[in-house]
């Protein structure tokens, strides 16, 4: 009922975003084109489509072309302006997702943040003149920068063509904004998603895409739990554990744990996306017994707090994840190669 009441405001919001996009489409608003291959990863929906795992995947794939960087606004940080990630940075200084990428790829990959990416990219190139590629994280609505390849992600559990603009829905702009995409990746798919259902989703996507735009399907591959520090006396596979998350849409993770860790998964402490954990939150944890499992993104925020508190790190684990294409991965990689061939 509330969603229907808010629908007129969704139309108003959608109209505002349409006008903004019109200014960029007609080149009335200025657009910056980076001088090196640039890949943009983003979505139409607010939060939770798996952008960071996809950026991680792309960074692994493009490093063979030369030094690469990733640039995002650094959502949730307490600093402003352009900044390069260093070993001294925290989630407060660069944001949780950039810090996660830096911990996984640095120093092989340059990780930078900056709200105004059209201004940040020249500064990034001045600081790292050897760069051969930039991956823009969460940049689908950042129209001042024109990337060579624009990837639109949509969560299988919350497909954008079944949603509405804010505040009556979770879309950042109207559905036809998908026409800017060079490819669509449906993320967080079940491992055994039938070809018939894939084809049905393609048919439902088609009205919102350019005719030549390919649609890919990818799921999440979960790794083995990794202990925060020290040698674990128990693991989540053999000891009851509590899941602790601060992500936008934890349902796929919860479903996975209920299936693969059915005997030991005890409860789920669910915090908002990009939640800034504080010492008071640690006091709420049951420190008497059991283990705790969290995500990689939450790990980079929790680990410093736990170390400061003197907690037993061997009782805290995080679960690594990777993107896993259900099919046609070679075709996707060929598409990813296109900006580098064009600029060679």
């Amino acid at each position: 009922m509330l969603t229907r009441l808010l629908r007129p405001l969704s139309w108003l919001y959608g109209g505002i975003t349409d006008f903004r996009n019109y200014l960029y489409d007609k080149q009335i608003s200025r657009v910056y084109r980076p001088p090196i291959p640039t890949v943009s990863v983003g979505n139409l929906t607010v939060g939770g489509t798996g952008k960071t795992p996809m950026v991680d995947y792309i960074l692994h794939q493009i490093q063979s072309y030369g030094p690469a960087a990733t640039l995002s606004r650094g959502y949730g940080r307490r600093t402003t302006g352009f900044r390069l990630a260093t070993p001294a940075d925290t989630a407060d200084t660069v944001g949780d997702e950039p810090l996660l990428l830096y911990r996984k790829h640095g120093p092989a990959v340059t990780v930078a943040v900056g709200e105004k990416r059209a201004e940040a990219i020249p500064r990034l190139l001045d600081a790292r003149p050897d760069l051969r590629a930039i991956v823009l994280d969460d940049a689908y609505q950042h129209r001042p920068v024109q990337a060579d390849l624009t990837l639109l992600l949509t969560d299988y559990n919350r497909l954008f063509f079944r949603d509405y603009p804010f505040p009556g829905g979770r879309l950042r702009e109207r559905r036809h904004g998908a026409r800017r995409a060079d490819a669509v990746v449906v993320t967080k798919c079940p491992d055994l998603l039938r070809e018939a259902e894939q084809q049905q989703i393609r048919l439902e996507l088609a009205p919102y895409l350019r005719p030549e735009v390919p649609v890919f399907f990818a799921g999440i591959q979960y790794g083995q739990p990794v202990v925060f520090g020290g040698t674990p006396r128990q693991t989540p596979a053999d000891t009851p554990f509590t899941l602790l998350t601060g992500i936008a849409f934890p349902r796929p993770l919860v479903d996975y744990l209920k299936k693969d860790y059915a005997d030991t998964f005890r409860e789920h402490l669910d915090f908002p996306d990009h939640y800034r954990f504080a010492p008071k939150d640690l006091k709420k944890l049951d420190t008497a017994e059991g283990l705790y499992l969290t995500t990689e993104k939450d790990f980079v925020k929790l680990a410093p707090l736990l170390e400061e508190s003197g907690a037993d790190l061997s009782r805290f684990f995080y679960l690594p994840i990777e993107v896993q294409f259900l099919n046609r991965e070679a075709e996707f990689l060929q598409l990813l190669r296109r900006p580098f061939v064009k600029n060679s």
Side-chain angles (χ1 to χ4, degrees):
M1 177 62 73
L2 180 60
T3 299
R4 292 182 179 180
L5 291 175
L6 292 174
R7 196 65 53 78
L9 293 179
S10 293
W11 295 335
L12 175 62
Y13 180 84
I16 293 171
T17 59
D18 280 352
F19 179 69
R20 177 179 180 270
N21 284 324
Y22 171 84
L23 296 178
Y24 284 105
D25 293 339
K26 298 300 181 181
Q27 300 182 351
I28 298 171
S29 293
R30 189 174 180 179
V31 175
Y32 169 69
R33 289 176 170 79
I36 64 173
T38 304
V39 179
S40 172
V41 179
N43 56 18
L44 293 182
T45 308
V46 177
T49 55
K51 294 184 299 295
T52 301
M54 181 59 69
V55 170
D56 178 33
Y57 173 89
I58 292 171
L59 289 172
H60 277 295
Q61 300 299 328
I62 68 173
Q63 286 184 47
S64 60
Y65 298 113
T70 178
L71 172 65
S72 69
R73 61 174 172 159
Y75 185 85
R77 62 183 174 131
R78 290 179 170 175
T79 60
T80 58
F82 177 74
R83 187 182 183 98
L84 293 176
T86 70
D89 276 301
T90 66
D92 282 343
T93 58
V94 295
D96 50 9
E97 290 163 345
L99 182 62
L100 167 60
L101 291 170
Y102 182 77
R103 294 279 177 87
K104 295 187 75 169
H105 293 275
V109 169
T110 300
V111 176
V113 294
E115 300 89 342
K116 298 180 179 180
R117 275 162 271 204
E119 297 177 9
I121 291 175
R123 295 187 63 180
L124 175 58
L125 294 174
D126 284 343
R128 299 287 190 270
D130 62 331
L131 286 179
R132 294 295 176 267
I134 300 173
V135 181
L136 301 176
D137 187 4
D138 195 13
Y140 197 81
Q141 283 75 37
H142 196 79
R143 298 299 307 275
V145 174
Q146 178 61 58
D148 296 282
L149 180 66
T150 299
L151 302 178
L152 175 64
L153 310 187
T154 183
D155 187 337
Y156 168 82
N157 303 282
R158 299 180 300 163
L159 295 161
F160 76 81
F161 54 78
R162 297 171 184 167
D163 206 345
Y164 296 91
F166 180 85
R170 297 179 59 86
L171 297 187
R172 299 174 174 184
E173 57 179 298
R174 295 212 296 173
R175 300 171 188 175
H176 59 237
R179 290 189 66 83
R180 300 196 303 275
D182 296 310
V184 173
V185 182
V186 181
T187 61
K188 302 184 182 179
C189 295
D191 293 341
L192 301 177
L193 183 63
R194 293 176 301 141
E195 179 59 38
E197 186 175 355
Q198 293 183 34
Q199 185 58 28
Q200 180 60 37
I201 292 173
R202 288 192 184 96
L203 289 173
E204 293 185 66
L205 279 168
Y208 306 104
L209 306 178
R210 304 193 310 276
E212 72 279 9
V213 171
V215 178
F216 301 93
F217 294 84
I220 292 293
Q221 176 68 47
Y222 292 99
Q224 293 298 312
V226 178
V227 67
F228 275 38
T231 302
R233 293 187 294 273
Q234 303 93 20
T235 69
D238 56 36
T239 302
F241 69 90
T242 295
L243 176 65
L244 179 65
T245 65
I247 59 177
F249 191 60
R251 194 179 83 188
L253 173 57
V254 172
D255 290 344
Y256 165 76
L257 294 175
K258 285 181 177 178
K259 177 183 175 183
D260 282 39
Y261 292 80
D263 294 334
T264 54
F265 183 17
R266 186 173 60 182
E267 63 176 319
H268 177 204
L269 300 180
D270 186 13
F271 291 85
D273 192 24
H274 296 284
Y275 183 75
R276 183 178 286 115
F277 292 98
K280 63 179 177 62
D281 297 310
L282 301 185
K283 296 179 181 178
K284 299 177 183 178
L285 303 183
D286 175 16
T287 57
E289 59 180 353
L291 305 178
Y292 288 91
L293 181 69
T294 190
T295 67
E296 284 185 282
K297 187 170 82 168
D298 293 313
F299 159 70
V300 298
K301 295 179 291 186
L302 280 168
L305 287 174
L306 292 169
E307 290 173 356
E308 291 175 10
S309 70
D312 180 3
L313 297 183
S314 69
R315 296 175 53 249
F316 291 83
F317 295 75
Y318 68 87
L319 195 65
I321 62 171
E322 293 180 354
V323 168
Q324 183 177 49
F325 280 83
L326 304 191
N327 47 40
R328 300 169 61 208
E329 183 174 17
E331 184 181 339
F332 179 82
L333 293 176
Q334 184 65 26
L335 180 73
L336 193 59
R337 180 174 177 265
R338 194 169 67 187
F340 300 92
V341 174
K342 184 178 70 175
N343 285 271
S344 61

